[in-house]
Amino acid sequence: MAFLEKQSPGRVLLDDTVALTALIEASQNLQSHTVSLLRPGKWTQTVIKRYSDFDMLNSSLLVSGVSLPLPPKKLLGNMDREFIAERQRGLQVYLDFITQHHILATCQLVKKFLDTNNYSANYTEIALQQVSMFFRSDPKWEVVEPLKDIGWRIRKKYFLIKNKEQPKERQVLSWVDLGPDKFLSDKDLQSTMKLLPSLTNPYIYPVTFANTSELSALVIRMFQEKGTLRDLICKVKPKEAFMRKYCSPKKIQGLELQQIRMYGRQILEVLRFFHDKGFPYGHLHASNIVIEDNTCKVLDIENSLLGLPSYYRPYITQFRKINTTESIDVYSFGHLLYEMTYGRPPDAVPVDQYPAVTYTSVVSVLQSILSTDACKTGMPTVAQLLQTPLFSDVLLFHSEKLQFKIPTKLRDALKSAKECMEKRLQEEQKTNQQHRRLTRAQSHHGSEEEKRRRKILARKKSRQSAYENEEDLSVKYNNNSGMSSCSNKCINSLL
């Protein structure tokens, strides 16, 4: 079956999980308007933005329900120098807030605002073109409706479709651009993707169809009307936009202990299955899990094959001990366990203080994954987590035969691709650590305490230098006096 034969226009292998940062270098008057000169991080090009540009971005982000700290408008006196300086500081606070927010920082609205060159493409239109080509090659499929922005990835789009031979069944088609971690050859990737529909595991949501081209991939699954585990926790409708659903949900509810134990054990079992097979996953989070008949089933098992960075990569790149796909899975499980327990993700990681909860056995597992010590020294293994009191005595009732036969040649290719993914992660972690050290050194050098210390040291050196100069003059004077006395004695003796 041939599809996706044309190249996708404007394809750029960017890691969209890398948050863009921006520093407002100055504000100036331009054509009777005040503009801000922004320099996005890692880019040398200066971006010029008016306050109205910030206001338009803010209006688009209001759908998130997040309280955004945009400075208010001012009609009179907005050219005053003090006001311009105050607004510049306020706009910098605003930029820092949205670029540090895990969901807002990865949305196309923010990316395009800071980097128009790389984020102006209409990916919905590109996806429609590619999907239309697929339908021409296999006309039994028909689009029911696009599922606009239900996912967080900029370059991944979803469509509700149906098979004309089974018109009452609804399936979901996902189209995605290949990512920066795609290290399988095109041939090996195509072969591995074709294996996915044959995979049988009670805790993996089945794939109906999967295929790739040189530039993108297409996967079809049955549509889950009840949505994902995160939809269940946040009590939202599955078809709503990701940003609207999850940025600031109004009604959240953690799971009961019995559900946490059962779902946690099921998820750990599927992670053990992946690790035993040498299959890289790395994409575990609450939006990649559906619940069917009280059973967790993971989604998007193809993501690592396609080179897509993890949802938690911005966190992972800060911890050098989380440097393998296995440790990424365990770290992601910690986030998921926290969300199942408290009904929301942690505000920041590491987490050393936990809200009050009666499930002490859950907190001990969370501490083993999300604490400062764990993030610095390394993750526990899946086998170790399965042996904890929280999961060790949970009974599983599925007798379905596990099946996923990977040919030896493909297994070797997967191992090599996995090592390349891990190497790129480790290089980014090393770069981030060096950047943090430099930032700390610069911050320390510019701190008031350090400035005072340098002033005191300079005074001491100045006083010491003055004292040494006085000593040198005294010694010189004494030496001159001695020589003069000696000369006088010699002259007297001659006389």
Side-chain angles (χ1 to χ4, degrees), residues 234-245:
C234 296
K235 300 185 181 302
V236 293
K237 297 177 180 179
K239 293 182 181 180
E240 289 185 350
F242 192 92
M243 192 161 59
R244 180 191 295 273
K245 289 192 293 185

Side-chain angles (χ1 to χ4, degrees), residues 113-143:
F113 183 80
L114 297 174
D115 186 6
T116 306
N117 292 337
N118 287 315
Y119 289 97
S120 290
N122 187 332
Y123 289 103
T124 300
E125 183 178 324
I126 295 171
L128 279 170
Q129 293 172 357
Q130 303 298 309
V131 171
S132 297
M133 291 172 63
F134 165 63
F135 283 167
R136 286 200 295 270
S137 68
D138 192 355
K140 70 181 180 183
W141 299 101
E142 180 180 327
V143 171

